[in-house]
Amino acid sequence: MTIYNLAFSRRSAWCGDASSKGSSGAKMSNRTVCREASHSGSWYTASGSQLNTQLEGWLSQAQSTVSPARAIIAPHAGYSYCGACAAHAYKQIDPSVTRRVFILGPSHHVPLSRCALSSAEVYKTPLYDLRIDQEVYADLWKTGMFERMSLQTDEDEHSIEMHLPYTAKAMESHKDELSIVPVLVGSLSESKEQHYGKLLSRYLADSSNLFIISSDFCHWGQRFRYTYYDEALGEIHRSIEHLDKMGMGIIETLDPMSFTNYLKKYHNTICGRHPIGVLLNAVSELRKSGTEMNFSFLNYAQSSQCRNWQDSSVSYAAGALLVH
């Protein structure tokens, strides 16, 4: 069932011509539907050369310790805030292994109770264009569990787009073999997180697939309507860090019910809680067959350090899942 009108963007929905090539190296017709890099020039630079230099700089400061990652959790804020943190997750990607990248991002702007697939065929970035895997999309669509988001909804949303330049950079040595599977994740019930986790577990089991889970962590401050504070921990930013790292530790146990209970108790404003829940349920499904996995967080940061009730901040965490 399609809830959102299949309307095209205010910008031209078509891209490519008879001589243009996508990331697959194949020629695209002039009827290819493209999602523009709508947040370039604001959330990150629109200059391909500048973007490349920035990404290389951040990646050079990170260590490869949990490689090859089968899944990563990384933030989706403006790169000036979270680019350095995200690099610690992207450093764990092995482009010689990965061929298909699933990107699960939360819906910030439209009400969505299930998951949605893109109307586009190609996602543009300032580095190079990324091709959506239409074969996988067709298989997912056949399940009846997905809706189709309009191109306008797609371009308004930032949770998937902010991972595209980093994906392109991490995979540039094998870009001609790369496809992506963007999935917009709605406000899922516990049972729906289980159903989507089970559905996607067969893709997570494939070593040629990588899952990117898009999430920031605590959004603290009156503007976010969240001001949890444990005075025993000292300054507000230390309370926030303790709360986030409690959640991160629970995610590292890979137990979806424990994560759900943590959210119910503290109501931490982790915007990608549903994509994280889907990943944890996919892991649980694979563990039933004896697959051994572990998750490690590698970096944590805050946009600013809150010290009084007028302050606000957003937290960022980067981590990776390793399958043994």
Side-chain angles (χ1 to χ4, degrees):
M1 174 180 170
T2 304
I3 282 187
Y4 311 116
N5 291 329
L6 221 60
F8 290 134
S9 157
R10 287 183 294 268
R11 289 172 292 275
S12 171
W14 312 117
C15 67
D17 55 39
S19 62
S20 67
K21 293 185 179 181
S23 58
S24 66
K27 288 185 178 180
M28 298 184 295
S29 76
N30 58 6
R31 301 294 287 178
T32 301
V33 181
C34 287
R35 181 202 184 279
E36 296 293 333
S38 52
H39 291 75
S40 65
S42 53
W43 291 54
Y44 58 95
T45 178
S47 164
S49 59
Q50 290 181 12
L51 182 59
N52 186 65
T53 299
Q54 286 179 346
L55 296 175
E56 284 184 348
W58 288 320
L59 287 166
S60 70
Q61 300 299 311
Q63 302 298 316
S64 177
T65 56
V66 193
S67 181
R70 188 69 58 85
I72 63 172
I73 293 176
H76 54 235
Y79 281 180
S80 62
Y81 294 102
C82 75
C85 176
H88 292 270
Y90 279 92
K91 190 75 169 186
Q92 314 315 314
I93 296 174
D94 185 346
S96 69
V97 173
T98 301
R99 291 295 172 268
R100 183 186 296 113
V101 176
F102 289 73
I103 308 173
L104 276 59
S107 176
H108 287 87
H109 304 296
V110 296
L112 184 64
S113 62
R114 300 198 297 169
C115 291
L117 305 178
S118 176
S119 301
E121 299 164 81
V122 168
Y123 275 19
K124 298 175 75 70
T125 84
L127 300 179
Y128 59 87
D129 295 346
L130 298 170
R131 174 180 56 87
I132 291 180
D133 193 312
Q134 295 299 328
E135 184 176 341
V136 172
Y137 252 29
D139 288 341
L140 295 178
W141 185 252
K142 288 174 188 174
T143 66
M145 294 173 62
F146 292 84
E147 299 170 13
R148 189 76 70 173
M149 59 175 148
S150 72
L151 197 59
Q152 190 63 59
T153 293
D154 202 343
E155 291 184 349
D156 286 346
E157 180 58 62
H158 63 275
S159 70
I160 293 173
E161 179 181 342
M162 297 309 295
H163 292 282
L164 303 178
Y166 251 123
T167 297
K169 180 60 183 174
M171 292 297 301
E172 63 182 349
S173 63
H174 288 75
K175 64 181 181 181
D176 291 340
E177 303 154 74
L178 172 66
S179 64
I180 63 170
V181 183
V183 178
L184 189 65
V185 180
S187 298
L188 306 180
S189 64
E190 291 175 45
S191 62
K192 284 182 180 177
E193 286 182 0
Q194 292 171 3
H195 290 154
Y196 284 106
K198 185 174 183 178
L199 172 66
L200 294 174
S201 65
R202 72 183 184 95
Y203 297 102
L204 184 63
D206 186 341
S207 61
S208 67
N209 291 332
L210 168 76
F211 277 72
I212 296 173
I213 306 301
S214 176
S215 185
D216 298 334
F217 274 69
C218 184
H219 297 62
W220 194 94
Q222 295 179 38
R223 70 191 184 101
F224 298 118
R225 298 190 181 93
Y226 187 77
T227 52
Y228 172 88
Y229 176 36
D230 185 347
E231 295 181 8
L233 294 169
E235 300 220 59
I236 293 172
H237 66 86
R238 296 194 181 279
S239 172
I240 296 170
E241 180 174 354
H242 182 266
L243 178 67
D244 279 330
K245 289 190 173 178
M246 189 192 314
M248 292 159 63
I250 290 170
I251 292 170
E252 287 180 335
T253 70
L254 297 173
D255 178 17
M257 186 53 65
S258 295
F259 184 57
T260 296
N261 291 337
Y262 160 81
L263 292 171
K264 286 180 178 178
K265 182 175 181 179
Y266 295 100
H267 305 283
N268 193 0
T269 45
I270 300 172
C271 55
R273 57 193 175 276
H274 296 298
I276 292 171
V278 171
L279 174 67
L280 295 179
N281 278 284
V283 167
S284 292
E285 189 67 23
L286 292 184
R287 278 180 152 180
K288 293 177 182 177
S289 59
T291 304
E292 293 186 18
M293 291 164 280
N294 69 276
F295 192 96
S296 301
F297 277 101
L298 306 166
N299 190 259
Y300 174 80
Q302 296 176 354
S303 61
S304 60
Q305 293 191 334
C306 293
R307 291 184 167 84
N308 61 63
W309 295 105
Q310 284 69 49
D311 291 342
S312 65
S313 71
V314 179
S315 306
Y316 314 116
L321 178 78
L322 192 64
V323 179
H324 301 288

